[in-house]
Amino acid sequence: QTGLTTEKRIFNYRLSRARRIVENAFGILSNRFRVFMSPIGLNPEKVEDIVMACCSLHNYLRDHKISRTVYMPSGSVDGEDPDTHIIQPGNWRLEENSQGWQPLARQGSNRHSTAAKQLRDYLCNYFNSSHGAVSWQYNMI
C-alpha cells in the first residue's frame, strides 16, 4: 500500500477487517448449516426466516458453555496475529464449497459511482475521527 495516506491505509485496514468478519460469519453458517451450501429456491421472505433461525441457533450454541467447545472449537474462525498482522485462516475455510458460493459475473465497469465514493470518503473520515477511531488501528497498518 505504498503512496497511500495514513487515513486511507486505516480505511483499507478497517474495511478489510470488516470483510473478513463477514466472510467468517457466512463461512461458519454455511459450514454448520448445510442449507447454505446450495442456492435456496424459496422466496426472499422465507430465506430471511431461514437465515435468522440459523443465526439464532448459532448464537445459542456458541453462547452456552456445554456446547461452545464442540460447536466452535479453537481455530474455527480467522484470526490475526497482533504482532505480524498475518491472518490465520479458520478451519471453516478448509471445507469444500458446494454450489452455494458461486462467482459473480462482471457487473459493469470498474468505475465507482459518485455515491460509492461519497460513502467511502465518509467512512474514511469516520474511521479517522475521534468518534470512529479505535486505539489499536494505528498499530495494524
Side-chain angles (χ1 to χ4, degrees):
Q1 294 182 345
T2 59
L4 294 179
T5 64
T6 299
E7 290 79 15
K8 287 185 179 179
R9 290 178 69 200
I10 293 291
F11 170 78
N12 286 347
Y13 172 74
R14 298 275 302 268
L15 185 65
S16 167
R17 188 171 189 269
R19 188 198 76 237
R20 191 172 66 250
I21 299 220
V22 170
E23 285 177 355
N24 265 313
F26 281 108
I28 291 165
L29 281 178
S30 65
N31 186 276
R32 301 293 192 260
F33 302 98
R34 298 298 176 170
V35 67
F36 298 118
M37 295 300 279
S38 60
I40 303 172
L42 299 172
N43 67 47
E45 291 79 20
K46 289 286 184 194
V47 173
E48 186 176 333
D49 289 343
I50 291 169
V51 170
M52 295 302 287
C54 289
C55 288
S56 296
L57 184 55
H58 165 80
N59 288 340
Y60 175 82
L61 291 169
R62 193 191 69 186
D63 289 342
H64 283 75
K65 187 183 264 188
I66 295 170
S67 62
R68 183 181 310 138
T69 56
V70 174
Y71 180 71
M72 294 288 297
S74 179
S76 294
V77 298
D78 293 354
E80 181 174 359
D81 185 295
D83 298 323
T84 64
H85 312 300
I86 294 174
I87 305 301
Q88 305 296 326
N91 293 336
W92 69 266
R93 291 186 184 271
L94 303 175
E95 293 288 322
E96 240 182 82
N97 285 338
S98 182
Q99 298 297 313
W101 302 101
Q102 299 177 6
L104 293 175
R106 185 175 173 87
Q107 300 296 309
S109 74
N110 288 335
R111 296 201 38 97
H112 56 75
S113 68
T114 302
K117 182 176 182 342
Q118 288 173 339
L119 179 58
R120 186 175 62 232
D121 291 344
Y122 172 81
L123 289 171
C124 184
N125 290 333
Y126 177 75
F127 292 153
N128 288 283
S129 73
S130 60
H131 296 294
V134 290
S135 61
W136 46 263
Q137 70 187 19
Y138 299 98
N139 299 330
M140 303 308 273
I141 61 168

